[in-house]
Amino acid sequence: MTVTSHDNVPTTVLDGAVKDYSRDKVYVLTALFLGVVTLVEIATYAFPDFPVWADELVVPVLMILMAVKFFTIVYVFMHLKFDKPILTKLFYMGLVLAVLVYIAMLSTFRIWYHGHHG
Amino acid sequence: MAESLTSRPTLAAADAQQANAHIDADTNTGISNTKLGMWLFLASECLLFGGLITTYLLYKHPLEGPTPHEIFDIPFTSTSSFVLLMSSLTMVLAVSAIERGEHQRMRVWIGATAVLGATFIAGQIYEFTVFVREGLGFTTSRFSSAFYTLTGFHGIHVTIGIIMLVSLVLLSLRGKIPEHRAETVEIVGLYWHFVDVVWVVIFAVVYLIPS
């Protein structure tokens, strides 16, 4: 028998039903990982001459670190990893649309052009 | 409805059988309309914040007034970012607690999330106050307008999130969030994590990437 979210299940029946299985450890480890990535991000500011992100490398390095944090939170904390695929598609629909629209907009305003902006 | 504990699918059982660990709702998609609505809302929020971030990128070189890297206090903002990041952990632990039927623990985690969120907002108010004192008002330059609009909109989202968290605690204290309605906590959690995700982008793009 399938339990649906609309069923009026007494609290006492469900109490402790998932107690033996917890993702808490995964969540704590994920937070630690995110903390470390954030420290690396801050290090790009504190130690700008470090070879890994020196000069023009800093922008791609920061973008990669940002993307890692973004997708880690979305997949683990927001449960996309565990949830129905349609939710992933739905979210990516908005995200990809936003990225494409605003890349087009930035290109229109010649944001990638390194010359003098008047 | 009389249902034995053993017949209820647990997270462990669901995980073992398929990628979807959530119990199906009685809809065509198997997802409750509320949750689907929240995800649609978050997808649309990508467009809102995308627009604000794009505007900031276009206007980040001020023609007058202080420049971003003259006024930004990166160590302070890094601390605020870390606080908001950790609030995502407390939020997800709250969701986990209610799924296990641990109401008291859920309230503690949600309370901690609200406190961390409030700390972040207090930091943002302090930061704005310092910037204004240093001569960066909302209309000082195109950079300042874009900066305050972007970070201010984010701050408003965090504030709304705090209100939702406090409401959850009050509802829980009144016994209106039993385990079978744990999804309510999860949906508020989705909003909170999204606010955190947006800050991840803002922190890198606005504060850390050099001009």
Side-chain angles (χ1 to χ4, degrees):
Chain A
M1 181 176 174
T2 306
V3 177
T4 70
S5 62
H6 300 293
D7 291 335
N8 188 21
V9 184
T11 302
T12 49
V13 171
L14 296 177
D15 210 359
V18 292
K19 193 166 270 180
D20 57 338
Y21 182 79
S22 168
R23 299 194 193 105
D24 288 7
K25 194 177 173 185
V26 175
Y27 297 144
V28 172
L29 290 174
T30 304
L32 282 173
F33 171 72
L34 290 169
V36 170
V37 176
T38 305
L39 283 177
V40 177
E41 281 184 327
I42 297 164
T44 64
Y45 168 80
F47 309 104
D49 296 327
F50 191 69
V52 176
W53 51 72
D55 303 322
E56 294 193 348
L57 281 176
V58 70
V59 175
V61 166
L62 279 171
M63 296 306 284
I64 290 167
L65 293 173
M66 181 191 78
V68 167
K69 284 171 72 179
F70 185 99
F71 290 108
T72 303
I73 294 172
V74 168
Y75 268 90
V76 181
F77 286 172
M78 293 174 83
H79 289 181
L80 273 190
K81 181 176 169 20
F82 313 107
D83 228 319
K84 290 200 174 285
I86 189 174
L87 294 178
T88 308
K89 290 173 190 165
L90 202 64
F91 183 65
Y92 280 155
M93 198 174 66
L95 185 64
V96 170
L97 183 64
V99 169
L100 291 180
V101 166
Y102 295 119
I103 282 180
M105 183 177 161
L106 288 170
S107 302
T108 306
F109 283 90
R110 302 206 302 169
I111 194 88
W112 324 115
Y113 175 62
H114 289 287
H116 175 71
H117 290 265
Chain B
M1 177 185 150
E3 182 176 5
S4 71
L5 182 62
T6 51
S7 67
R8 182 180 180 270
T10 63
L11 282 175
D15 272 359
Q17 289 168 14
Q18 53 186 348
N20 166 33
H22 293 250
I23 297 160
D24 283 1
D26 191 16
T27 60
N28 288 343
T29 57
I31 303 161
S32 76
N33 293 329
T34 325
K35 189 170 174 179
L36 195 63
M38 176 52 84
W39 274 104
L40 268 172
F41 170 69
L42 296 182
S44 72
E45 287 273 279
C46 288
L47 284 157
L48 169 72
F49 279 104
L52 293 172
I53 291 169
T54 304
T55 307
Y56 174 81
L57 288 174
L58 288 171
Y59 291 155
K60 74 174 184 176
H61 302 289
L63 299 176
E64 63 282 315
T67 63
H69 293 276
E70 282 173 359
I71 59 159
F72 284 165
D73 183 352
I74 302 296
F76 179 81
T77 313
S78 301
T79 310
S80 297
S81 302
F82 193 75
V83 166
L84 195 62
L85 197 63
M86 288 306 107
S87 76
S88 263
L89 173 63
T90 53
M91 185 69 236
V92 82
L93 290 176
V95 175
S96 190
I98 188 68
E99 284 176 346
R100 290 194 302 269
E102 297 174 358
H103 293 261
Q104 180 59 29
R105 189 166 287 185
M106 179 209 72
R107 286 193 286 269
V108 169
W109 286 127
I110 286 185
T113 310
V115 168
L116 290 170
T119 307
F120 175 83
I121 288 297
Q124 194 170 44
I125 291 169
Y126 170 76
E127 184 187 44
F128 283 7
T129 309
V130 170
F131 290 172
V132 170
R133 280 190 192 144
E134 290 183 4
L136 192 79
F138 184 75
T139 55
T140 303
S141 63
R142 58 187 193 175
F143 151 69
S144 67
S145 299
F147 170 77
Y148 283 125
T149 305
L150 170 59
T151 53
F153 253 93
H154 178 266
I156 288 169
H157 276 73
V158 176
T159 307
I160 291 169
I162 293 168
I163 292 167
M164 290 200 287
L165 292 171
V166 172
S167 305
L168 273 184
V169 172
L170 294 176
L171 284 171
S172 173
L173 284 171
R174 290 182 177 188
K176 292 187 175 176
I177 309 182
E179 293 89 84
H180 70 278
R181 301 189 75 179
E183 194 181 77
T184 310
V185 182
E186 188 189 348
I187 287 167
V188 173
L190 286 175
Y191 175 86
W192 190 263
H193 296 310
F194 181 78
V195 164
D196 186 23
V197 151
V198 170
W199 187 256
V200 164
V201 178
I202 292 175
F203 180 56
V205 172
V206 174
Y207 289 90
L208 291 179
I209 291 181
S211 298

